[in-house]
Amino acid sequence: MRFILLGAPGAGKGTQAQRLVDAHDIVQLSTGEMLRAAVAAGTDIGKRAKAVMEAGDLVSDDILIGMISDRVTEADCGNGFILDGFPRTLAQAEALEVMLAQKSLKLDAVIEMKVDDALLIGRITGRYTCANCGAGYHDENLKPKVAGICDNCGRTEFSHRSDDNAEAVTTRLAAYHEQTAPLLPFYRDKGSLKTVDGMADIDEVTRQLNDVLALG
Ligand code: AMP
């Protein structure tokens, strides 16, 4: 199974992708995570991406297309993958079409997670992760069961993404509306776009996603 999760920053793509990975035995390809790893490792790509990401702008299409093209042929993608955060521009979407055709791979669906802007800023600025295992939490919507202790691994250090501040979030939302939202009519015209209500609670969104995926 191969599909794209489309949605604004804070729409819940990463959270839902983690759940779908477990349920369908596929991998999550998050370009944001890949770039953050490149920044942390200090690779050439990381050095080029760091300031752009901190400002909330989009990293160049060339870097992203090269990154995904290499990644989808790795062995762990054999059973399928979720594209989380890619494509984000029409150029990336068009390159993805060519790349998949060359590898004789087909997408099963493109799923939009629809959330009103008013909700997104609060979702993003309140979120944080366990510094050890990466489990995601939120100051109001998703607190650890015991305050200050990760439910998943029991550790007590947490971190906030450096681009989850109000200024970068405003730029990221503008980038979404200007550069990523045009992908909705692009995929709708191809007949592959499905939409779920990203404002429902987390379990309900997972249920809607599974329904959409079962229908193919
Ligand atoms: P995310 O974790 O998906 O919110 O991505 C974090 C940041 O990484 C974005 O704000 C961009 O700067 C960069 N990024 C991730 N995916 C892409 C992409 N497909 N195209 C361009 N920039 C990206």
Side-chain angles (χ1 to χ4, degrees):
M1 185 184 289
R2 295 176 207 93
F3 58 94
I4 297 172
L5 283 184
L6 260 184
K13 302 185 296 294
T15 304
Q16 294 296 334
Q18 277 176 13
R19 293 176 157 215
L20 296 167
V21 158
D22 295 337
H24 299 277
D25 191 23
I26 51 182
V27 291
Q28 172 188 7
L29 304 183
S30 157
T31 45
E33 286 297 328
M34 291 178 204
L35 288 166
R36 281 187 286 281
V39 170
T43 64
D44 280 350
I45 287 181
K47 285 180 191 142
R48 287 165 65 192
K50 188 170 189 289
V52 178
M53 291 172 74
E54 275 171 6
D57 288 316
L58 294 186
V59 176
S60 84
D61 287 334
D62 292 355
I63 291 183
L64 270 297
I65 292 164
M67 212 157 142
I68 282 292
S69 175
D70 293 344
R71 186 67 185 85
V72 294
T73 48
E74 286 177 24
D76 63 344
C77 291
N79 204 31
F81 51 76
I82 305 170
L83 289 172
D84 159 12
F86 181 94
R88 246 176 166 101
T89 64
L90 274 175
Q92 292 178 17
E94 280 158 3
L96 178 65
E97 302 267 297
V98 174
M99 182 194 307
L100 293 177
Q102 280 168 349
K103 299 178 201 300
S104 302
L105 298 175
K106 255 184 73 76
L107 282 178
D108 297 291
V110 178
I111 310 175
E112 176 196 13
M113 296 179 59
K114 204 173 168 56
V115 178
D116 290 347
D117 271 13
L119 262 186
L120 294 169
I121 296 190
R123 278 195 182 184
I124 297 174
T125 50
R127 70 186 179 182
Y128 60 99
T129 52
C130 169
N132 177 53
C133 71
Y137 297 98
H138 188 279
D139 288 338
E140 278 157 29
N141 312 335
L142 190 62
K143 299 178 185 173
K145 291 193 182 83
V146 180
I149 300 178
C150 175
D151 296 346
N152 191 43
C153 73
R155 299 280 281 270
T156 53
E157 290 86 43
F158 296 89
S159 60
H160 274 275
R161 277 172 49 173
S162 58
D163 60 348
D164 277 353
N165 61 75
E167 202 183 340
V169 168
T170 306
T171 308
R172 287 160 65 199
L173 286 179
Y176 176 76
H177 288 295
E178 283 160 25
Q179 300 185 70
T180 309
L183 300 188
L184 299 170
F186 175 86
Y187 287 117
R188 191 175 294 122
D189 288 350
K190 290 180 184 297
S192 43
L193 187 71
K194 319 268 184 210
T195 300
V196 300
D197 176 12
M199 292 187 284
D201 74 46
I202 296 181
D203 289 340
E204 169 59 17
V205 179
T206 309
R207 199 192 59 69
Q208 290 187 20
L209 285 167
N210 280 320
D211 276 359
V212 163
L213 291 168
L215 295 173

